[in-house]
Amino acid sequence: MNLPSLIFFLAVIIGTLAITYSAAKRTGSPTEFYAAGYRLNGVQNGIAIAGDYMSAASFLGIAGTIALYGYDGFIYAIGFLVSYLIILFLIAEPLHNLGRYTLADAVAARFDSKFLRGMIACNTLLICILYMLAQLVGAGALIHHLLHIEYRTAVKIVGLLMTTYVVFGGMLATSWVQIVKSILLLASTFVLSLIVLSRFDWSVAEMFEQVSRATPFRDAYLYPGNQLSDPCEVLSLHLALLLGSSCLPHILSRLFTVRDAQTTRRSVYTAIWIIGPFYLMTIFLGFGASAFVGFERLRDAGFGGNLTVTLLADVLGGEFLTAYISAVAFATILAVVTGLVLSASSAFAHDVYSHLIRKGMASEREQVLVAKCSSVGIGLISMWLAMDAEKMNVAMLVSLTFAVAASAHLPLILSTLYWRRFTVQGAIAGMASGLLASVLLVCLGPTVMNPEHGLIPHNPIFRLTNPGLVSIPIGFLGAIIGTLCSRPAPGADERYDCVLLKIHAGEGREPMKEKMAHKG
Amino acid sequence: MSDMKNRDMMEEKGMGKWSRMNHSPTDARESRRLFALLLKRKRRYLSIMSLTFLTVYFLLPVLIAVVPDLMNTAVYGRMTVAWVWAVAQCLLTLLLATLYIWKARHFDRLAQEVAKALESEEKP
């Protein structure tokens, strides 16, 4: 390992630990642990939300896919960005007004079912662990390559750090780590884009001209279809990106970290304005890499193009810039997995332990203690899973995560908020059918069933890599059929009226938040 | 009988605002009317906005599949229609979000009026 990388990596570790240390005094109550005591303002929370989206997958992955396949990589950027409109218009404010820390809280405002709460919590845990596994495997490989540390050691380092941040710093530390990382990431993307653009004489037209000659695709590099040629597959990817990323648990749990719905709205709005320009800049990074690094070198570097940005930094700025970008990539991975650990632990400690096992009788200290213990447990479990998963197909994990989030969570969220007739049976049926459909279709699809290198050496029974096109409608259908086959509970109509009042007029919110708002 | 029980249950959970409102018919109408107005406006506005971005979003892959030649026509240097559409989609996202933030202030004001009306109905 060379000196600049060592210094930058240590700076990231020391900086984030310092943040955790200063946040450690403020993790005494569940509100502080899960929701940073509603202390964050709109802009801070917005930067943190944006940070959750700018995961290693989008910073390294999108730029890499654009560099290798041109237009098809940009589909991911549009999908992630537009999904924010769904959050902003349909989900953010209602969910904030309805719930306290988790999605299950919000749904519990309409349905008292313990079974449903348990189901939502298990689903959230499943999504978090799958996604975390994908990030950890990617992270391990990346750090192994950048720093020449052994894969298993790299996973251990990331796992220990993420658990430390959550256990000692709670949501406050998680958010500030995310905020600092977002600013670093934006700055480095901006600088790299400027350098790339200067190499093309500050002309976007010139850039398009040059990349159309730089790759073996030639002119076709600028046309859609280099990675995905089947229109159904493309449509399915569009659907999964749009609907899946708007229901990822670590994004949803950020909607609860501020004091009122207006601030939630402001946060999402800030996030859109950060993410939008960021994704536009990924075009420069991708094209820059394909023109200056060269197609063969990118392809041979492996990791599905995940090393593209660091290779680009190496060509443009040498060792120093590479070290800086690698450290930023490291911080990115750390911050995102930390958010995932926190949402997983809140699903377990808040929904399963406090509500289902202790039936709301647990004291505040007990709740925080359990939350911390479950963070340790989740951190260790995912670390242990990731250590033996070096060869695992990350693409499968990611498409599974998005499919489960979109097919099982979205029908539940939208129907709870906007459908008067919706019943608890519909909620359970919708979640179960969405979950089963997405798991089954991924298992029957080409990522798992592959005659050459799949888990099941057999020709795929289901054609699509991304099952969203089929599994999302199944989830909605399950919710609709379940609802129509059951009768609404007595008083459901009045209860929905109250929920509507809460959602749209902010009436009858928990007094707790108001109290905290005055204190803060 | 079961209806009475229900109402008690709702009151217990602090969700009895609507049922209580039935006791004071004059003011009750005001808060109900305002809230219905808020819901109607919000629903109409959000459906138009959502339809807009969903159409623009899904039209792109559909058009690429149906008329690839048109989408691959260069319009600015080597930049094709598909690229321009994709970038325009990003800008549209920023625009729609900004429009909503402006509009949401009206909704907030209306929601406040609902809350005020509800409060005055609870006092007597």
Side-chain angles (χ1 to χ4, degrees):
Chain A
M1 197 194 303
N2 53 31
L3 192 65
S5 348
L6 190 68
I7 292 172
F8 278 121
F9 269 77
L10 285 181
V12 166
I13 293 176
I14 292 168
T16 45
L17 285 177
I19 290 172
T20 311
Y21 179 75
S22 69
K25 290 161 233 144
R26 298 172 182 166
T27 52
S29 75
T31 308
E32 292 190 318
F33 189 79
Y34 297 128
Y38 309 122
R39 235 184 234 110
L40 296 177
N41 68 30
V43 175
Q44 290 163 347
N45 196 39
I47 301 175
I49 294 180
D52 275 329
Y53 262 57
M54 297 189 288
S55 63
S58 53
F59 174 53
L60 307 169
I62 293 181
T65 325
I66 293 180
L68 286 176
Y69 303 106
Y71 176 86
D72 286 4
F74 199 55
I75 293 177
Y76 292 88
I78 320 172
F80 286 139
L81 180 62
V82 176
S83 76
Y84 265 99
L85 287 181
I86 293 197
I87 299 182
L88 180 65
F89 291 167
L90 303 176
I91 296 180
E93 293 166 63
L95 220 53
H96 175 91
N97 276 342
L98 219 49
R100 200 157 146 199
Y101 309 128
T102 61
L103 173 62
D105 280 345
V107 177
R110 257 195 98 168
F111 305 118
D112 289 319
S113 163
K114 292 218 164 66
F115 183 71
L116 184 62
R117 190 185 267 273
M119 212 171 152
I120 298 173
C122 290
N123 219 340
T124 306
L125 271 172
L126 176 74
I127 297 176
C128 285
I129 289 186
L130 282 175
Y131 201 46
M132 198 144 46
L133 206 54
Q135 300 273 355
L136 280 177
V137 172
L142 200 69
I143 294 168
H144 165 67
H145 185 90
L146 296 175
L147 290 183
H148 312 291
I149 302 175
E150 203 199 335
Y151 169 84
R152 294 168 75 94
T153 321
V155 170
K156 270 185 220 158
I157 294 176
V158 175
L160 283 180
L161 283 173
M162 73 185 185
T163 315
T164 312
Y165 301 150
V166 175
V167 170
F168 293 104
M171 185 50 123
L172 197 62
T174 307
S175 301
W176 277 103
V177 168
Q178 195 63 271
I179 291 169
V180 170
K181 162 228 132 172
S182 299
I183 294 169
L184 285 178
L185 186 55
L186 269 180
S188 54
T189 315
F190 187 65
V191 169
L192 271 182
S193 306
L194 283 186
I195 300 177
V196 167
L197 207 54
S198 74
R199 295 282 182 101
F200 288 119
D201 298 328
W202 305 99
S203 153
V204 177
E206 175 65 22
M207 179 171 79
F208 272 77
E209 182 67 42
Q210 280 199 27
V211 290
S212 73
R213 282 185 265 116
T215 66
F217 291 116
R218 291 284 161 197
D219 283 350
Y221 178 75
L222 294 175
Y223 302 156
N226 293 327
Q227 189 187 23
L228 302 167
S229 47
D230 179 3
C232 282
E233 188 78 78
V234 175
L235 207 61
S236 191
L237 178 67
H238 272 83
L239 204 62
L241 287 174
L242 180 73
L243 303 180
S245 35
S246 54
C247 318
L248 290 178
H250 60 302
I251 312 276
L252 292 183
S253 65
R254 290 226 165 268
L255 301 176
F256 301 108
T257 52
V258 288
R259 67 174 70 114
D260 54 26
Q262 283 79 12
T263 320
T264 310
R265 184 197 303 148
R266 178 60 55 191
S267 332
V268 180
Y269 181 63
T270 312
I272 292 184
W273 274 94
I274 293 173
I275 287 282
F278 173 78
Y279 281 153
L280 286 176
M281 286 191 284
T282 56
I283 304 181
F284 297 110
L285 299 189
F287 280 8
S290 111
F292 303 131
V293 181
F295 185 82
E296 281 77 25
R297 210 177 140 200
L298 287 175
R299 196 192 48 202
D300 298 339
F303 295 116
N306 269 353
L307 291 175
T308 301
V309 181
T310 42
L311 288 173
L312 176 68
D314 186 39
V315 171
L316 296 180
E319 196 183 330
F320 188 76
L321 194 60
T322 317
Y324 174 68
I325 297 288
S326 310
V328 171
F330 176 61
T332 303
I333 293 163
L334 271 183
V336 172
V337 286
T338 307
L340 286 165
V341 173
L342 188 70
S343 357
S345 92
S346 63
F348 180 79
H350 181 68
D351 293 329
V352 177
Y353 183 82
S354 300
H355 279 92
L356 298 182
I357 299 178
R358 298 281 279 136
K359 302 196 169 39
M361 302 301 285
S363 70
E364 292 212 330
R365 277 188 62 180
E366 188 183 343
Q367 288 183 41
V368 175
L369 189 70
V370 172
K372 289 183 173 179
C373 291
S374 58
S375 323
V376 174
I378 288 158
L380 289 179
I381 290 174
S382 38
M383 216 161 84
W384 174 68
L385 287 173
M387 280 205 286
D388 292 320
E390 189 179 359
K391 297 279 174 288
M392 197 154 180
N393 185 347
V394 176
M396 181 201 80
L397 293 175
V398 172
S399 71
L400 192 61
T401 314
F402 278 77
V404 173
S407 331
H409 274 173
L410 191 75
L412 173 79
I413 296 176
L414 289 186
S415 313
T416 304
L417 298 178
Y418 298 102
W419 193 14
R420 179 176 286 274
R421 172 75 170 73
F422 195 46
T423 63
V424 66
Q425 287 84 357
I428 292 169
M431 280 192 82
S433 55
L435 179 66
L436 282 180
S438 38
V439 171
L440 197 69
L441 291 178
V442 167
C443 288
L444 295 179
T447 36
V448 174
M449 278 194 160
N450 194 312
E452 284 154 30
H453 49 80
L455 278 177
I456 307 171
H458 188 276
N459 276 327
I461 298 174
F462 181 69
R463 191 160 62 97
L464 301 176
T465 323
N466 215 311
L469 195 60
V470 180
S471 67
I472 296 170
I474 290 180
F476 275 101
L477 219 69
I480 292 170
I481 293 173
T483 301
L484 295 182
C485 291
S486 59
R487 287 180 53 187
D493 223 31
E494 289 85 351
R495 192 156 177 184
Y496 183 63
D497 278 331
C498 298
V499 165
L500 272 183
L501 200 61
K502 222 171 165 181
I503 290 178
H504 296 287
E507 265 303 299
R509 297 254 356 246
E510 295 175 44
M512 175 99 167
K513 272 196 186 179
E514 263 72 59
K515 224 165 60 191
M516 291 303 298
H518 288 305
K519 225 194 267 175
Chain B
M1 177 63 198
S2 79
D3 197 53
M4 278 296 286
K5 207 171 140 195
N6 254 320
R7 183 158 295 168
D8 284 353
M9 204 177 77
M10 304 301 262
E11 297 274 351
E12 244 171 57
K13 297 198 167 163
M15 294 186 297
K17 275 184 180 140
W18 286 120
S19 30
R20 235 175 291 151
M21 270 163 34
N22 300 339
H23 301 303
S24 54
T26 41
D27 287 330
R29 247 179 262 134
E30 179 61 9
S31 75
R32 265 209 167 178
R33 190 187 63 80
L34 279 174
F35 189 61
L37 186 72
L38 170 70
L39 278 189
K40 200 177 132 199
R41 282 193 187 163
K42 222 172 171 176
R43 251 175 215 154
R44 206 183 58 190
Y45 183 78
L46 288 181
S47 1
I48 294 173
M49 297 283 270
S50 306
L51 270 180
T52 312
F53 82 79
L54 287 176
T55 316
V56 175
Y57 181 74
F58 285 110
L59 211 53
L60 178 59
V62 169
L63 282 180
I64 286 174
V66 178
V67 280
D69 291 336
L70 176 74
M71 299 310 278
N72 288 342
T73 317
V75 279
Y76 172 68
R78 283 287 183 125
M79 216 176 188
T80 62
V81 179
W83 276 102
V84 174
W85 189 304
V87 171
Q89 167 99 65
C90 291
L91 300 179
L92 181 77
T93 304
L94 298 180
L95 177 74
L96 289 183
T98 312
L99 284 178
Y100 173 69
I101 290 290
W102 282 344
K103 187 74 181 179
R105 288 191 199 135
H106 294 275
F107 296 144
D108 282 350
R109 235 170 283 147
L110 208 51
Q112 260 172 13
E113 280 175 43
V114 173
K116 220 182 281 166
L118 270 178
E119 222 166 81
S120 66
E121 284 153 26
E122 269 169 27
K123 267 173 200 156

